[in-house]
Amino acid sequence: MTFALHLDNLPRTIELVRAADGAAELVYVDQRLLPGRLAFSRTRDWRAVVDAVRSLSVRGAPAIGAAGAAAVALWAQARASSRADGSYLAELERVCAQVASARPTAVNLSWGVRRIERAARERVRAGGGAGEVAADLFDAVKALEAEDEAANRSIGAHGAALLPEGARVLTHCNAGSLATVFFGTALGVVYAAAAQGKVARVYADETRPVGQGARLTAWELARAGVPVTLICDNMAASLMAEGEVDAVVVGADRIAANGDVANKIGTYGVAVLARHHGIPFYVAAPESTIDRSVPDGSRIPIEERDPAEVADPLPGVEVWNPAFDVTPAELVTRIVTEKGALRPSELLY
């Protein structure tokens, strides 16, 4: 199917910039306002970045990895006139721990924080002052941003090779450009395949309870010019039974060493359905999402969120609201990273 792909219509989700006065600012899309309004927030306060991550203003594993790194860089900017001594390093450690704890499941957050913390400590060990640390961390965040987009485009190229001509793709949650610095992981596969004329349509699960598919994926695909159909989560089985799905492509928030995949709640069910109907189930994520320190999915911490996301509280009614579930490796056809498309068992080697 031929259609015009307009990736230039997609905003950069998150970016550390220099303001007119030379200070660093984090600019990000406030995703709570989509699809009704595309609005950008700006902050120089690392604490505001933590709040943005917790509130889902910034979401998506690669994007919050960049946000975590930027938060530490903004802290360093605020401390640029202080001494880079023992108390400075102790405060750095406390700030990094606070930033990394903002959301526990997506390993990219702690990965981004650790990367920037290492850069700060290396500069201090080399004799650099706090001002030099701040300058170095700004550059380190910019490098991370560039690497994220490059990784996403590579993921897209590897994943596109797996899709048939005229592919009808089902996705769950949002693993698009909005979940990354730019381009996307699961939707990066779609965009790369669409550029080759291989995509006929994308089916987006609404993704209860927060509606990332309905609010974000559908908005993003339509804006990019990709044919998209929104479905309720409980319609996926019927769609597959009618032969309307050629592949499932989703993102990930953490991948265990054995290939078990933590992703938005409901992903496990989609994987079970795909296996029953003989449909390949692909997971697209950067290498930074693979946590080889975790042997299997049972060790991945699962965030539980506010019950109000599901329903207004009713007297005597409890609400269980896990934000993620774990898809066993045996249900995953391939894990697509910037290095290629691997079977889950190949992660161990």
Side-chain angles (χ1 to χ4, degrees):
M1 181 176 180
T2 301
F3 53 85
L5 184 64
H6 295 290
L7 294 182
D8 54 340
N9 285 342
L10 299 179
R12 295 193 72 81
T13 303
I14 186 166
E15 187 173 15
L16 192 65
V17 302
R18 289 286 185 196
D21 62 359
E25 293 184 336
L26 187 65
V27 181
Y28 59 90
V29 176
D30 187 342
Q31 298 188 39
R32 296 172 304 173
L33 304 179
L34 290 172
R37 182 160 65 98
L38 174 60
F40 295 86
S41 293
R42 306 176 72 97
T43 186
R44 301 181 183 187
D45 184 352
W46 69 271
R47 297 175 186 84
V49 180
V50 173
D51 290 341
V53 170
R54 284 181 176 149
S55 69
L56 305 185
S57 297
V58 178
R59 43 134 315 270
I64 66 174
V72 180
L74 291 176
W75 169 83
Q77 174 175 264
R79 298 281 272 110
S81 61
S82 61
R83 291 172 56 87
D85 54 14
S87 63
Y88 176 93
L89 292 176
E91 185 178 347
L92 169 68
E93 183 175 359
R94 290 193 298 272
V95 167
C96 287
Q98 186 172 337
V99 175
S101 68
R103 297 198 69 189
T105 301
V107 72
N108 303 67
L109 178 58
S110 57
W111 170 84
V113 169
R114 286 196 306 271
R115 174 168 165 166
I116 299 305
E117 183 180 10
R118 284 196 301 270
R121 291 184 179 277
E122 287 170 5
R123 188 58 166 166
V124 172
R125 280 197 298 268
E132 293 170 302
V133 172
D136 278 5
L137 295 195
F138 181 91
D139 292 340
V141 173
K142 297 306 293 180
L144 187 153
E145 291 174 1
E147 289 170 21
D148 178 74
E149 181 176 347
N152 295 336
R153 291 185 181 276
S154 183
I155 289 167
H158 291 301
L162 300 172
L163 298 183
E165 296 291 335
R168 297 158 300 174
V169 177
L170 174 71
T171 192
H172 187 79
C173 194
N174 175 265
S177 193
L178 289 168
T180 67
V181 172
F182 189 74
F183 197 71
T185 54
L187 293 193
V189 172
V190 168
Y191 295 142
Q196 300 170 17
K198 295 176 70 174
V199 174
R201 179 160 299 275
V202 176
Y203 291 97
D205 281 349
E206 63 179 347
T207 319
R208 286 277 296 153
V210 183
Q212 294 94 333
R215 296 188 304 105
L216 305 178
T217 297
W219 177 88
E220 180 178 326
L221 288 168
R223 194 174 178 93
V226 178
V228 55
T229 297
L230 178 66
I231 64 171
C232 297
D233 293 347
N234 59 5
M235 296 174 183
S238 295
L239 190 69
M240 291 180 183
E242 292 183 8
E244 293 297 320
V245 179
D246 299 302
V248 176
V249 186
V250 300
D253 288 83
R254 189 182 305 221
I255 301 172
N258 73 333
D260 290 349
V261 174
N263 193 49
K264 184 55 58 182
I265 190 72
T267 302
Y268 177 27
V270 173
V272 171
L273 293 172
R275 173 58 58 88
H276 177 76
H277 291 92
I279 298 167
F281 183 89
Y282 300 123
V283 174
E287 282 281 319
S288 57
T289 303
I290 301 172
D291 186 356
R292 291 182 172 85
S293 72
V294 172
D296 58 59
S298 69
R299 304 291 187 89
I300 297 175
I302 300 299
E303 175 186 359
E304 291 196 30
R305 293 188 58 81
D306 189 341
E309 290 180 350
V310 176
D312 292 332
L314 295 173
V317 176
E318 295 184 359
V319 173
W320 182 51
N321 186 23
F324 305 93
D325 57 23
V326 176
T327 297
E330 58 264 27
L331 296 179
V332 178
T333 308
R334 291 287 189 279
I335 294 173
V336 185
T337 76
E338 64 268 36
K339 295 183 178 180
L342 304 175
R343 293 181 177 87
S345 60
E346 294 176 304
L347 296 183
L348 295 172
Y349 301 100

